Amino acid sequence: MLGLPRGEVFLVPWSMEWKNEYEKEKRQIIADIGPYTINVHHIGSTAVKGLSAKPIIDIAIEIEHFIDGEKCVIALEGLGYSYKGTDVLPERHYFNKGEPRTHQIHMYQRHNKYLLEQLNFRDYLRNNEQARSEYQQLKLKLSSLHGNDKHKYAHEKTDFIKSILEKI
């Protein structure tokens, strides 16, 4: 299953479909904006095998210069993405796709601290079964408490995420 209706928060069990969907999307992105990309990463919970997640594929695109993100808008819109600008989330160009939303792109300049945190957190969960299990339980609890408030859901995960990043 892929797609999260606006305003809802629910989790579904990890699926190999997410990895396949990411790979397909990555190929299309590179075909259309390849000269601007340094790397394309699968991030977020759908990138961690065995972890339940909101059914949205999160993609991080690394670019050399932040301004290059503006040069990618038309091509990404051609792939079905909507450009939401640089004010939605810090230090990134943000795009989303679908209604219900199926994909999100976070476009960062190389070496951006938020990108590095995303990658480090993902990798830690991939390699640490205990932390992955704890995060799973927290997410399940928060999704049942805040099924109609994505901001509260996200905010209440912050302390756990920070505690992991401090260990790295």
Side-chain angles (χ1 to χ4, degrees), residues 9 137-147 152-153 156-157:
V9 176
Q137 294 310 309
L138 175 63
K139 288 169 46 114
L140 290 169
K141 174 185 167 190
L142 294 176
S143 68
S144 69
L145 290 173
H146 306 299
K152 276 188 180 176
Y153 169 81
E156 291 192 23
K157 296 187 305 179

Side-chain angles (χ1 to χ4, degrees), residues 71-139:
K71 299 173 186 173
C72 300
V73 171
I74 292 172
L76 292 172
E77 287 177 340
L79 294 176
Y81 287 91
S82 295
Y83 183 53
K84 303 302 181 183
T86 58
D87 297 330
V88 176
L89 294 164
E91 298 182 31
R92 72 196 82 179
H93 295 274
Y94 176 73
F95 302 78
N96 64 29
K97 181 178 185 177
E99 188 54 52
R101 194 168 20 129
T102 58
H103 299 75
Q104 302 180 125
I105 290 176
H106 308 262
M107 186 178 284
Y108 301 95
Q109 183 170 324
R110 180 197 303 237
H111 305 303
N112 178 280
K113 70 176 183 172
Y114 297 107
L115 170 64
L116 297 176
E117 286 177 353
Q118 286 274 359
L119 297 174
N120 288 336
F121 185 68
R122 177 204 65 193
D123 292 347
Y124 190 86
L125 292 179
R126 283 178 171 175
N127 296 309
N128 188 305
E129 188 175 335
Q130 176 70 28
R132 187 171 55 249
S133 176
E134 289 173 18
Y135 192 51
Q136 168 95 350
Q137 294 310 309
L138 175 63
K139 288 169 46 114

Side-chain angles (χ1 to χ4, degrees), residues 8-102:
E8 293 185 31
V9 176
F10 61 84
L11 305 178
V12 297
W14 187 86
S15 169
M16 186 59 130
E17 172 193 357
W18 295 342
K19 183 176 191 245
N20 297 337
E21 184 62 30
Y22 160 74
E23 292 294 338
K24 180 179 115 188
E25 205 70 13
K26 177 181 176 179
R27 285 191 298 274
Q28 292 177 323
I29 289 166
I30 290 172
D32 284 14
I33 65 165
Y36 295 105
T37 64
I38 294 169
N39 210 333
V40 179
H41 307 275
H42 189 184
I43 59 171
S45 294
T46 61
V48 180
K49 186 176 182 179
L51 186 60
S52 294
K54 295 179 295 183
I56 302 172
I57 306 299
D58 281 293
I59 299 168
I61 300 175
E62 272 183 274
I63 54 178
E64 187 67 43
H65 305 286
F66 192 72
I67 194 75
D68 289 343
E70 294 174 11
K71 299 173 186 173
C72 300
V73 171
I74 292 172
L76 292 172
E77 287 177 340
L79 294 176
Y81 287 91
S82 295
Y83 183 53
K84 303 302 181 183
T86 58
D87 297 330
V88 176
L89 294 164
E91 298 182 31
R92 72 196 82 179
H93 295 274
Y94 176 73
F95 302 78
N96 64 29
K97 181 178 185 177
E99 188 54 52
R101 194 168 20 129
T102 58

